[in-house]
Amino acid sequence: MKYEPTGREDDEAVLQEWFTAHGITEVECLVTDLTGILKGKIMPARKYLNGGRPRLPDSIFIQTVTGGYPDDEDSRFWNPAEQDMQLIPDTSAVYLVPWAEDPTAQIIHDCYYLNGDPVELSPRYVLKRVLALYAARGWKPVVAPEAEFYLVKTNKDSDYPLEPPIGRSGRQESSRQSYSIDAVNEFDPLFEEMYDYCEAMGLDLDTLIHEEGAGQMEVNFEHGDPLALADQVVMFKRTLRETALRHGMYGTFMAKPMAYQPGSSMHIHQSLVDVATGRNLFADDEGRASTLFRNFIGGLQTYMPSAMPFFAPNVNSYRRLMRSETSGSAPINVEWGFDNRTVGLRVPVSDAEGTRVENRLAGADANPYLVMAASLACGYLGMMAQIEPRPPAVGSAWEGGNSLPDDIGPALNALHSCKPLADILGERFVKSYLAVKRAEHREYFQVISSWEREHLLLRV
Ligand SMILES: NC(=O)CC[C@H](N)C(=O)O
């Protein structure tokens, strides 16, 4: 997947036309790091259109969420020289910044070394790598992500717990308001603006609902190409956070922002299209679940426990997945079942064309490129090895207990031992990801919590 300069003239023409149509004066050149944070440079549109392309060091892909770097015990897996990368725009990922005062573009870029090699540490590249495996077989995965999030009161001191926001009524939500339209309308001005921004950016939102938690909402995206939808989720998260700030609140995609409130997920519905015929290969000629579909689920069941650090990348992610009275339907297993929300892999009842599996494991805090790459990699491995899934769960699957790593430490160990995933996602990428996540975990461990001060200080 080398960048071929021959295609670039066409891209320039597309950009030129789009910049002129929108009167663009500034460009935000964006790259998503391992966490999902947008990094990049801002430059004048004039320079950008003259072929100016920014460079960034490849160390942005080995940065922890706090801006640190892993100890260099494993440094042979990245380049300590901090090589420069050339940023090349993807002209299918060009958006307006609708809240900017001067007409500004935000463009998602791919990263290449100066010799033209792609940077394998880039999450967007990891997803492209998995999609190329599907393309080589004439397959096209189709996904529909959902993103849950909380609106919360601004929280200037991070020592204090978060609180639900104040709505138009002047009141703070305190009870379960799942699906309540009036509870969504409490934040009507914010959502009006969010929709305006999404419209201006061309984000394909389907529905918005109120979820179970106080101030918790969910948006669903229309189904489509995984790369385009991962881009859209990244853009949506930025948009929602920005909109919330403009309305005096925070929007957060933390997996478990508040104790005693359900966590936030990023469910991904997945199906598989035959490029030649356009048919959904997850249904057979009689409209029943096909062998490929069963094997895809078999692969998810086999490899998802090892891919856990992509679905649950932070210490906080595992708080969402712990069973408690307030955990809602967050999964603790990789069983599958028809229209069953106690399993990690739900198969919604639908017509043959709509046959799909909803992977419910990922938290909203996960990096959408890596969630899609990991989920599609697990399914691909299952289809290649023709893995039969266990029988579908009937009734509650909670009784089976937690069959997944229940903390980031064991999850990282499981990924470390899984060679098939490293082969698909890239060995250098997986090693670097593990090193970054281990460094974050060590840093977290140095913080003494209020629970320890409350319960241990005077007792032990
Ligand atoms: N609607 C739902 O299925 C809720 C999902 C739940 N919030 C989770 O974190 O998984």
Side-chain angles (χ1 to χ4, degrees), residues 158-175:
S158 55
D159 273 343
Y160 289 97
L162 296 170
E163 278 187 61
I166 310 272
R168 285 194 301 152
S169 62
R171 289 190 155 199
Q172 197 172 24
E173 234 183 73
S174 58
S175 58

Side-chain angles (χ1 to χ4, degrees), residues 141-211:
V142 172
V143 300
E146 304 173 350
E148 293 178 338
F149 58 89
Y150 273 90
L151 297 175
V152 294
K153 269 190 179 176
T154 52
N155 169 267
K156 292 185 186 126
D157 185 340
S158 55
D159 273 343
Y160 289 97
L162 296 170
E163 278 187 61
I166 310 272
R168 285 194 301 152
S169 62
R171 289 190 155 199
Q172 197 172 24
E173 234 183 73
S174 58
S175 58
R176 298 270 179 269
Q177 296 291 331
S178 311
Y179 300 109
S180 161
I181 296 290
D182 286 343
V184 174
N185 282 344
E186 275 283 287
F187 306 101
D188 201 37
L190 185 156
F191 288 124
E192 293 271 336
E193 189 158 59
M194 180 194 88
Y195 270 116
D196 288 349
Y197 288 161
C198 289
E199 181 89 20
M201 290 165 71
L203 303 186
D204 219 355
L205 296 191
D206 185 17
T207 53
L208 163 72
I209 60 154
H210 196 293
E211 259 296 337

Side-chain angles (χ1 to χ4, degrees), residues 148 211-212 216 218 262-265 267 320 329-331 341 360:
E148 293 178 338
E211 259 296 337
E212 256 183 281
Q216 190 186 29
E218 172 184 306
S264 292
S265 64
H267 298 163
R320 162 180 167 250
S329 49
R341 286 186 168 81
R360 299 169 57 82

Side-chain angles (χ1 to χ4, degrees), residues 83-288:
Q83 281 189 69
D84 257 352
M85 311 179 294
Q86 181 78 58
L87 268 51
I88 303 294
D90 184 335
T91 44
S92 60
V94 178
Y95 310 88
L96 268 182
V97 182
W99 53 84
E101 273 178 25
D102 294 330
T104 304
Q106 45 181 345
I107 306 181
I108 294 180
H109 286 66
D110 287 313
C111 302
Y112 294 85
Y113 287 116
L114 302 186
N115 67 2
D117 286 341
V119 179
E120 326 88 291
L121 305 181
S122 151
R124 197 168 193 265
Y125 175 73
V126 174
L127 176 55
K128 280 184 159 184
R129 196 180 155 122
V130 175
L131 293 177
L133 291 173
Y134 279 83
R137 302 199 160 255
W139 294 339
K140 190 169 167 37
V142 172
V143 300
E146 304 173 350
E148 293 178 338
F149 58 89
Y150 273 90
L151 297 175
V152 294
K153 269 190 179 176
T154 52
N155 169 267
K156 292 185 186 126
D157 185 340
S158 55
D159 273 343
Y160 289 97
L162 296 170
E163 278 187 61
I166 310 272
R168 285 194 301 152
S169 62
R171 289 190 155 199
Q172 197 172 24
E173 234 183 73
S174 58
S175 58
R176 298 270 179 269
Q177 296 291 331
S178 311
Y179 300 109
S180 161
I181 296 290
D182 286 343
V184 174
N185 282 344
E186 275 283 287
F187 306 101
D188 201 37
L190 185 156
F191 288 124
E192 293 271 336
E193 189 158 59
M194 180 194 88
Y195 270 116
D196 288 349
Y197 288 161
C198 289
E199 181 89 20
M201 290 165 71
L203 303 186
D204 219 355
L205 296 191
D206 185 17
T207 53
L208 163 72
I209 60 154
H210 196 293
E211 259 296 337
E212 256 183 281
Q216 190 186 29
M217 314 285 161
E218 172 184 306
V219 293
N220 295 349
F221 293 77
E222 288 287 356
H223 61 272
D225 171 63
L227 192 66
L229 278 152
D231 289 343
Q232 290 204 25
V233 173
V234 166
M235 285 295 129
F236 174 74
K237 285 178 152 189
R238 181 182 194 199
T239 307
L240 189 270
R241 280 193 291 257
E242 174 68 30
T243 318
L245 274 181
R246 282 167 181 267
H247 290 264
M249 290 169 231
Y250 290 165
T252 181
F253 294 88
M254 269 175 76
K256 185 84 172 179
M258 284 180 276
Y260 315 117
Q261 294 285 346
S264 292
S265 64
M266 183 176 16
H267 298 163
I268 313 275
H269 293 251
Q270 300 166 94
S271 56
L272 183 67
V273 163
D274 178 19
V275 175
T277 62
R279 263 196 49 216
N280 180 358
L281 293 171
F282 280 172
D284 67 14
D285 291 339
E286 270 92 59
R288 289 175 315 220

Side-chain angles (χ1 to χ4, degrees), residues 219-445:
V219 293
N220 295 349
F221 293 77
E222 288 287 356
H223 61 272
D225 171 63
L227 192 66
L229 278 152
D231 289 343
Q232 290 204 25
V233 173
V234 166
M235 285 295 129
F236 174 74
K237 285 178 152 189
R238 181 182 194 199
T239 307
L240 189 270
R241 280 193 291 257
E242 174 68 30
T243 318
L245 274 181
R246 282 167 181 267
H247 290 264
M249 290 169 231
Y250 290 165
T252 181
F253 294 88
M254 269 175 76
K256 185 84 172 179
M258 284 180 276
Y260 315 117
Q261 294 285 346
S264 292
S265 64
M266 183 176 16
H267 298 163
I268 313 275
H269 293 251
Q270 300 166 94
S271 56
L272 183 67
V273 163
D274 178 19
V275 175
T277 62
R279 263 196 49 216
N280 180 358
L281 293 171
F282 280 172
D284 67 14
D285 291 339
E286 270 92 59
R288 289 175 315 220
S290 67
T291 305
L292 276 178
F293 189 40
R294 286 204 319 277
N295 295 160
F296 188 89
I297 293 175
L300 290 173
Q301 288 193 321
T302 307
Y303 290 104
M304 272 170 61
S306 305
M308 196 74 179
F310 302 116
F311 301 116
N314 300 303
V315 170
N316 182 260
S317 320
Y318 295 83
R319 303 190 199 279
R320 162 180 167 250
L321 299 170
M322 194 179 79
R323 260 336 267 149
S324 74
E325 272 164 37
T326 54
S327 62
S329 49
I332 51 168
N333 60 53
V334 278
E335 300 312 308
W336 71 291
F338 295 98
D339 242 355
N340 186 335
R341 286 186 168 81
T342 66
V343 295
L345 303 167
R346 170 176 168 258
V347 176
V349 169
S350 71
D351 58 10
E353 257 326 283
T355 306
R356 64 191 186 279
V357 57
E358 178 194 24
N359 184 342
R360 299 169 57 82
L361 187 55
D365 58 336
N367 180 323
Y369 298 106
L370 297 180
V371 169
M372 292 189 200
S375 190
L376 293 170
C378 295
Y380 181 83
L381 286 168
M383 293 190 293
M384 288 305 102
Q386 298 175 347
I387 301 175
E388 270 299 314
R390 294 184 284 278
V394 179
S396 171
W398 299 133
E399 277 84 70
N402 192 348
S403 56
L404 291 163
D406 61 359
D407 204 347
I408 188 82
L412 294 173
N413 292 341
L415 176 62
H416 179 83
S417 332
C418 186
K419 186 163 176 339
L421 278 175
D423 288 344
I424 287 205
L425 303 174
E427 195 195 351
R428 188 167 170 246
F429 162 73
V430 170
K431 295 269 183 198
S432 314
Y433 190 78
L434 287 170
V436 167
K437 289 290 149 191
R438 288 213 159 101
E440 285 176 359
H441 194 199
R442 271 196 299 277
E443 207 180 315
Y444 165 80
F445 232 72

